Structures are given as structure tokens and as C-alpha cells.
PDB file of all heavy atoms in Angstrom:
ATOM      1  N   THR A   1      15.432 -35.215  13.143  1.00  0.00           N
ATOM      2  CA  THR A   1      16.194 -35.020  14.371  1.00  0.00           C
ATOM      3  C   THR A   1      15.558 -33.884  15.161  1.00  0.00           C
ATOM      4  O   THR A   1      15.324 -32.802  14.620  1.00  0.00           O
ATOM      5  CB  THR A   1      17.657 -34.692  14.044  1.00  0.00           C
ATOM      6  OG1 THR A   1      18.198 -35.718  13.201  1.00  0.00           O
ATOM      7  CG2 THR A   1      18.489 -34.575  15.308  1.00  0.00           C
ATOM      8  N   THR A   2      15.293 -34.118  16.430  1.00  0.00           N
ATOM      9  CA  THR A   2      14.531 -33.146  17.214  1.00  0.00           C
ATOM     10  C   THR A   2      15.230 -31.796  17.300  1.00  0.00           C
ATOM     11  O   THR A   2      14.573 -30.751  17.243  1.00  0.00           O
ATOM     12  CB  THR A   2      14.290 -33.693  18.629  1.00  0.00           C
ATOM     13  OG1 THR A   2      15.548 -34.036  19.228  1.00  0.00           O
ATOM     14  CG2 THR A   2      13.414 -34.929  18.590  1.00  0.00           C
ATOM     15  N   ALA A   3      16.554 -31.790  17.422  1.00  0.00           N
ATOM     16  CA  ALA A   3      17.269 -30.519  17.534  1.00  0.00           C
ATOM     17  C   ALA A   3      17.167 -29.713  16.246  1.00  0.00           C
ATOM     18  O   ALA A   3      16.974 -28.493  16.277  1.00  0.00           O
ATOM     19  CB  ALA A   3      18.732 -30.775  17.898  1.00  0.00           C
ATOM     20  N   VAL A   4      17.315 -30.365  15.098  1.00  0.00           N
ATOM     21  CA  VAL A   4      17.198 -29.670  13.809  1.00  0.00           C
ATOM     22  C   VAL A   4      15.781 -29.133  13.629  1.00  0.00           C
ATOM     23  O   VAL A   4      15.577 -27.983  13.225  1.00  0.00           O
ATOM     24  CB  VAL A   4      17.581 -30.605  12.647  1.00  0.00           C
ATOM     25  CG1 VAL A   4      17.341 -29.922  11.302  1.00  0.00           C
ATOM     26  CG2 VAL A   4      19.034 -31.035  12.770  1.00  0.00           C
ATOM     27  N   TYR A   5      14.797 -29.972  13.937  1.00  0.00           N
ATOM     28  CA  TYR A   5      13.400 -29.541  13.801  1.00  0.00           C
ATOM     29  C   TYR A   5      13.115 -28.351  14.710  1.00  0.00           C
ATOM     30  O   TYR A   5      12.437 -27.388  14.298  1.00  0.00           O
ATOM     31  CB  TYR A   5      12.466 -30.700  14.136  1.00  0.00           C
ATOM     32  CG  TYR A   5      10.998 -30.376  13.955  1.00  0.00           C
ATOM     33  CD1 TYR A   5      10.405 -30.457  12.706  1.00  0.00           C
ATOM     34  CD2 TYR A   5      10.213 -29.978  15.029  1.00  0.00           C
ATOM     35  CE1 TYR A   5       9.068 -30.161  12.534  1.00  0.00           C
ATOM     36  CE2 TYR A   5       8.875 -29.675  14.870  1.00  0.00           C
ATOM     37  CZ  TYR A   5       8.302 -29.775  13.621  1.00  0.00           C
ATOM     38  OH  TYR A   5       6.976 -29.472  13.460  1.00  0.00           O
ATOM     39  N   ALA A   6      13.637 -28.374  15.941  1.00  0.00           N
ATOM     40  CA  ALA A   6      13.405 -27.275  16.871  1.00  0.00           C
ATOM     41  C   ALA A   6      14.062 -25.990  16.376  1.00  0.00           C
ATOM     42  O   ALA A   6      13.455 -24.911  16.425  1.00  0.00           O
ATOM     43  CB  ALA A   6      13.930 -27.641  18.258  1.00  0.00           C
ATOM     44  N   CYS A   7      15.294 -26.078  15.880  1.00  0.00           N
ATOM     45  CA  CYS A   7      15.991 -24.883  15.394  1.00  0.00           C
ATOM     46  C   CYS A   7      15.292 -24.284  14.171  1.00  0.00           C
ATOM     47  O   CYS A   7      15.107 -23.061  14.082  1.00  0.00           O
ATOM     48  CB  CYS A   7      17.438 -25.224  15.058  1.00  0.00           C
ATOM     49  SG  CYS A   7      18.469 -25.617  16.491  1.00  0.00           S
ATOM     50  N   VAL A   8      14.905 -25.129  13.225  1.00  0.00           N
ATOM     51  CA  VAL A   8      14.218 -24.648  12.027  1.00  0.00           C
ATOM     52  C   VAL A   8      12.878 -24.029  12.404  1.00  0.00           C
ATOM     53  O   VAL A   8      12.497 -22.967  11.894  1.00  0.00           O
ATOM     54  CB  VAL A   8      14.029 -25.800  11.017  1.00  0.00           C
ATOM     55  CG1 VAL A   8      13.132 -25.368   9.863  1.00  0.00           C
ATOM     56  CG2 VAL A   8      15.380 -26.261  10.485  1.00  0.00           C
ATOM     57  N   ARG A   9      12.172 -24.670  13.307  1.00  0.00           N
ATOM     58  CA  ARG A   9      10.863 -24.158  13.702  1.00  0.00           C
ATOM     59  C   ARG A   9      10.986 -22.824  14.427  1.00  0.00           C
ATOM     60  O   ARG A   9      10.185 -21.909  14.185  1.00  0.00           O
ATOM     61  CB  ARG A   9      10.174 -25.181  14.602  1.00  0.00           C
ATOM     62  CG  ARG A   9       8.768 -24.779  15.002  1.00  0.00           C
ATOM     63  CD  ARG A   9       8.103 -25.849  15.844  1.00  0.00           C
ATOM     64  NE  ARG A   9       6.769 -25.436  16.270  1.00  0.00           N
ATOM     65  CZ  ARG A   9       6.001 -26.146  17.071  1.00  0.00           C
ATOM     66  NH1 ARG A   9       6.421 -27.314  17.533  1.00  0.00           N
ATOM     67  NH2 ARG A   9       4.806 -25.707  17.417  1.00  0.00           N
ATOM     68  N   ILE A  10      11.979 -22.668  15.296  1.00  0.00           N
ATOM     69  CA  ILE A  10      12.156 -21.415  16.030  1.00  0.00           C
ATOM     70  C   ILE A  10      12.409 -20.260  15.067  1.00  0.00           C
ATOM     71  O   ILE A  10      11.762 -19.207  15.135  1.00  0.00           O
ATOM     72  CB  ILE A  10      13.308 -21.550  17.040  1.00  0.00           C
ATOM     73  CG1 ILE A  10      12.876 -22.422  18.224  1.00  0.00           C
ATOM     74  CG2 ILE A  10      13.748 -20.185  17.549  1.00  0.00           C
ATOM     75  CD1 ILE A  10      14.016 -22.780  19.150  1.00  0.00           C
ATOM     76  N   LEU A  11      13.346 -20.437  14.153  1.00  0.00           N
ATOM     77  CA  LEU A  11      13.677 -19.358  13.220  1.00  0.00           C
ATOM     78  C   LEU A  11      12.535 -19.078  12.252  1.00  0.00           C
ATOM     79  O   LEU A  11      12.214 -17.918  11.962  1.00  0.00           O
ATOM     80  CB  LEU A  11      14.949 -19.705  12.450  1.00  0.00           C
ATOM     81  CG  LEU A  11      16.259 -19.568  13.230  1.00  0.00           C
ATOM     82  CD1 LEU A  11      17.418 -20.120  12.432  1.00  0.00           C
ATOM     83  CD2 LEU A  11      16.509 -18.106  13.592  1.00  0.00           C
ATOM     84  N   ALA A  12      11.911 -20.130  11.717  1.00  0.00           N
ATOM     85  CA  ALA A  12      10.828 -19.943  10.740  1.00  0.00           C
ATOM     86  C   ALA A  12       9.630 -19.260  11.383  1.00  0.00           C
ATOM     87  O   ALA A  12       9.055 -18.315  10.811  1.00  0.00           O
ATOM     88  CB  ALA A  12      10.421 -21.294  10.147  1.00  0.00           C
ATOM     89  N   GLU A  13       9.237 -19.689  12.569  1.00  0.00           N
ATOM     90  CA  GLU A  13       8.072 -19.091  13.217  1.00  0.00           C
ATOM     91  C   GLU A  13       8.366 -17.679  13.702  1.00  0.00           C
ATOM     92  O   GLU A  13       7.472 -16.828  13.708  1.00  0.00           O
ATOM     93  CB  GLU A  13       7.619 -19.972  14.379  1.00  0.00           C
ATOM     94  CG  GLU A  13       7.014 -21.297  13.930  1.00  0.00           C
ATOM     95  CD  GLU A  13       6.551 -22.143  15.096  1.00  0.00           C
ATOM     96  OE1 GLU A  13       6.893 -21.801  16.253  1.00  0.00           O
ATOM     97  OE2 GLU A  13       5.849 -23.150  14.867  1.00  0.00           O
ATOM     98  N   THR A  14       9.596 -17.407  14.111  1.00  0.00           N
ATOM     99  CA  THR A  14       9.940 -16.057  14.556  1.00  0.00           C
ATOM    100  C   THR A  14       9.893 -15.074  13.400  1.00  0.00           C
ATOM    101  O   THR A  14       9.319 -13.982  13.519  1.00  0.00           O
ATOM    102  CB  THR A  14      11.334 -16.049  15.205  1.00  0.00           C
ATOM    103  OG1 THR A  14      11.367 -16.989  16.285  1.00  0.00           O
ATOM    104  CG2 THR A  14      11.653 -14.674  15.753  1.00  0.00           C
ATOM    105  N   ILE A  15      10.494 -15.442  12.270  1.00  0.00           N
ATOM    106  CA  ILE A  15      10.440 -14.566  11.087  1.00  0.00           C
ATOM    107  C   ILE A  15       8.997 -14.374  10.632  1.00  0.00           C
ATOM    108  O   ILE A  15       8.585 -13.270  10.248  1.00  0.00           O
ATOM    109  CB  ILE A  15      11.295 -15.161   9.951  1.00  0.00           C
ATOM    110  CG1 ILE A  15      12.784 -15.058  10.283  1.00  0.00           C
ATOM    111  CG2 ILE A  15      11.001 -14.457   8.622  1.00  0.00           C
ATOM    112  CD1 ILE A  15      13.321 -13.644  10.292  1.00  0.00           C
ATOM    113  N   ALA A  16       8.199 -15.443  10.675  1.00  0.00           N
ATOM    114  CA  ALA A  16       6.812 -15.350  10.213  1.00  0.00           C
ATOM    115  C   ALA A  16       5.948 -14.510  11.141  1.00  0.00           C
ATOM    116  O   ALA A  16       4.972 -13.899  10.693  1.00  0.00           O
ATOM    117  CB  ALA A  16       6.218 -16.754  10.078  1.00  0.00           C
ATOM    118  N   SER A  17       6.281 -14.462  12.420  1.00  0.00           N
ATOM    119  CA  SER A  17       5.443 -13.739  13.378  1.00  0.00           C
ATOM    120  C   SER A  17       5.805 -12.268  13.506  1.00  0.00           C
ATOM    121  O   SER A  17       5.048 -11.498  14.116  1.00  0.00           O
ATOM    122  CB  SER A  17       5.544 -14.398  14.759  1.00  0.00           C
ATOM    123  OG  SER A  17       6.879 -14.372  15.239  1.00  0.00           O
ATOM    124  N   LEU A  18       6.945 -11.848  12.961  1.00  0.00           N
ATOM    125  CA  LEU A  18       7.326 -10.439  13.050  1.00  0.00           C
ATOM    126  C   LEU A  18       6.425  -9.583  12.165  1.00  0.00           C
ATOM    127  O   LEU A  18       6.124  -9.966  11.032  1.00  0.00           O
ATOM    128  CB  LEU A  18       8.784 -10.248  12.622  1.00  0.00           C
ATOM    129  CG  LEU A  18       9.866 -10.807  13.545  1.00  0.00           C
ATOM    130  CD1 LEU A  18      11.236 -10.604  12.918  1.00  0.00           C
ATOM    131  CD2 LEU A  18       9.807 -10.132  14.905  1.00  0.00           C
ATOM    132  N   PRO A  19       5.994  -8.423  12.644  1.00  0.00           N
ATOM    133  CA  PRO A  19       5.220  -7.509  11.773  1.00  0.00           C
ATOM    134  C   PRO A  19       6.073  -7.046  10.593  1.00  0.00           C
ATOM    135  O   PRO A  19       7.228  -6.655  10.765  1.00  0.00           O
ATOM    136  CB  PRO A  19       4.876  -6.346  12.711  1.00  0.00           C
ATOM    137  CG  PRO A  19       5.012  -6.894  14.095  1.00  0.00           C
ATOM    138  CD  PRO A  19       6.105  -7.924  14.021  1.00  0.00           C
ATOM    139  N   LEU A  20       5.513  -7.110   9.399  1.00  0.00           N
ATOM    140  CA  LEU A  20       6.202  -6.705   8.178  1.00  0.00           C
ATOM    141  C   LEU A  20       5.382  -5.623   7.498  1.00  0.00           C
ATOM    142  O   LEU A  20       4.238  -5.861   7.102  1.00  0.00           O
ATOM    143  CB  LEU A  20       6.395  -7.909   7.248  1.00  0.00           C
ATOM    144  CG  LEU A  20       7.068  -7.647   5.902  1.00  0.00           C
ATOM    145  CD1 LEU A  20       8.454  -7.050   6.089  1.00  0.00           C
ATOM    146  CD2 LEU A  20       7.149  -8.935   5.082  1.00  0.00           C
ATOM    147  N   HIS A  21       5.955  -4.428   7.369  1.00  0.00           N
ATOM    148  CA  HIS A  21       5.226  -3.289   6.820  1.00  0.00           C
ATOM    149  C   HIS A  21       5.997  -2.674   5.659  1.00  0.00           C
ATOM    150  O   HIS A  21       7.229  -2.776   5.575  1.00  0.00           O
ATOM    151  CB  HIS A  21       5.004  -2.208   7.891  1.00  0.00           C
ATOM    152  CG  HIS A  21       4.237  -2.689   9.084  1.00  0.00           C
ATOM    153  ND1 HIS A  21       2.899  -3.007   9.032  1.00  0.00           N
ATOM    154  CD2 HIS A  21       4.622  -2.904  10.363  1.00  0.00           C
ATOM    155  CE1 HIS A  21       2.489  -3.393  10.228  1.00  0.00           C
ATOM    156  NE2 HIS A  21       3.519  -3.344  11.051  1.00  0.00           N
ATOM    157  N   THR A  22       5.258  -2.042   4.772  1.00  0.00           N
ATOM    158  CA  THR A  22       5.825  -1.244   3.691  1.00  0.00           C
ATOM    159  C   THR A  22       5.713   0.219   4.066  1.00  0.00           C
ATOM    160  O   THR A  22       4.621   0.698   4.403  1.00  0.00           O
ATOM    161  CB  THR A  22       5.092  -1.513   2.366  1.00  0.00           C
ATOM    162  OG1 THR A  22       5.133  -2.918   2.069  1.00  0.00           O
ATOM    163  CG2 THR A  22       5.743  -0.744   1.226  1.00  0.00           C
ATOM    164  N   TYR A  23       6.828   0.933   4.023  1.00  0.00           N
ATOM    165  CA  TYR A  23       6.868   2.325   4.464  1.00  0.00           C
ATOM    166  C   TYR A  23       7.165   3.246   3.288  1.00  0.00           C
ATOM    167  O   TYR A  23       7.767   2.841   2.291  1.00  0.00           O
ATOM    168  CB  TYR A  23       7.935   2.533   5.545  1.00  0.00           C
ATOM    169  CG  TYR A  23       7.616   1.850   6.857  1.00  0.00           C
ATOM    170  CD1 TYR A  23       8.119   0.574   7.137  1.00  0.00           C
ATOM    171  CD2 TYR A  23       6.830   2.471   7.815  1.00  0.00           C
ATOM    172  CE1 TYR A  23       7.832  -0.050   8.338  1.00  0.00           C
ATOM    173  CE2 TYR A  23       6.548   1.850   9.024  1.00  0.00           C
ATOM    174  CZ  TYR A  23       7.048   0.597   9.278  1.00  0.00           C
ATOM    175  OH  TYR A  23       6.764  -0.019  10.466  1.00  0.00           O
ATOM    176  N   ARG A  24       6.746   4.487   3.460  1.00  0.00           N
ATOM    177  CA  ARG A  24       7.027   5.548   2.501  1.00  0.00           C
ATOM    178  C   ARG A  24       7.884   6.604   3.191  1.00  0.00           C
ATOM    179  O   ARG A  24       7.615   6.994   4.333  1.00  0.00           O
ATOM    180  CB  ARG A  24       5.726   6.172   2.006  1.00  0.00           C
ATOM    181  CG  ARG A  24       5.931   7.311   1.008  1.00  0.00           C
ATOM    182  CD  ARG A  24       4.624   8.032   0.707  1.00  0.00           C
ATOM    183  NE  ARG A  24       3.644   7.160   0.053  1.00  0.00           N
ATOM    184  CZ  ARG A  24       2.551   6.695   0.645  1.00  0.00           C
ATOM    185  NH1 ARG A  24       2.294   6.999   1.919  1.00  0.00           N
ATOM    186  NH2 ARG A  24       1.705   5.917  -0.003  1.00  0.00           N
ATOM    187  N   TYR A  25       8.943   7.052   2.490  1.00  0.00           N
ATOM    188  CA  TYR A  25       9.744   8.138   3.039  1.00  0.00           C
ATOM    189  C   TYR A  25       8.904   9.413   3.087  1.00  0.00           C
ATOM    190  O   TYR A  25       8.215   9.759   2.124  1.00  0.00           O
ATOM    191  CB  TYR A  25      10.996   8.376   2.190  1.00  0.00           C
ATOM    192  CG  TYR A  25      11.985   7.246   2.220  1.00  0.00           C
ATOM    193  CD1 TYR A  25      12.149   6.400   1.122  1.00  0.00           C
ATOM    194  CD2 TYR A  25      12.769   7.017   3.344  1.00  0.00           C
ATOM    195  CE1 TYR A  25      13.067   5.358   1.152  1.00  0.00           C
ATOM    196  CE2 TYR A  25      13.692   5.973   3.377  1.00  0.00           C
ATOM    197  CZ  TYR A  25      13.838   5.158   2.282  1.00  0.00           C
ATOM    198  OH  TYR A  25      14.729   4.118   2.311  1.00  0.00           O
ATOM    199  N   SER A  26       8.972  10.119   4.218  1.00  0.00           N
ATOM    200  CA  SER A  26       8.210  11.357   4.389  1.00  0.00           C
ATOM    201  C   SER A  26       9.131  12.423   4.960  1.00  0.00           C
ATOM    202  O   SER A  26      10.213  12.112   5.479  1.00  0.00           O
ATOM    203  CB  SER A  26       7.021  11.109   5.332  1.00  0.00           C
ATOM    204  OG  SER A  26       7.464  10.759   6.628  1.00  0.00           O
ATOM    205  N   PRO A  27       8.721  13.696   4.890  1.00  0.00           N
ATOM    206  CA  PRO A  27       9.576  14.760   5.454  1.00  0.00           C
ATOM    207  C   PRO A  27       9.885  14.553   6.932  1.00  0.00           C
ATOM    208  O   PRO A  27      10.954  14.923   7.408  1.00  0.00           O
ATOM    209  CB  PRO A  27       8.738  16.020   5.227  1.00  0.00           C
ATOM    210  CG  PRO A  27       7.866  15.693   4.067  1.00  0.00           C
ATOM    211  CD  PRO A  27       7.552  14.235   4.193  1.00  0.00           C
TER     212      PRO A  27
END
């Protein structure tokens, strides 16, 4: 179904395209 495919693709690609970093607590 085009609407389901569009919704899944929007959320999946948005999460995948966000920068994901590992941080260290510092002073």
C-alpha cells in the first residue's frame, strides 16, 4: 500500500540520516 510504504520509508530514512555520535561526559 503506497501510504504504508511512504510512512515507513519516511521514518526509516529520517532515523538513518540523523547524525549519531558517542559522547563522553567532560567538565
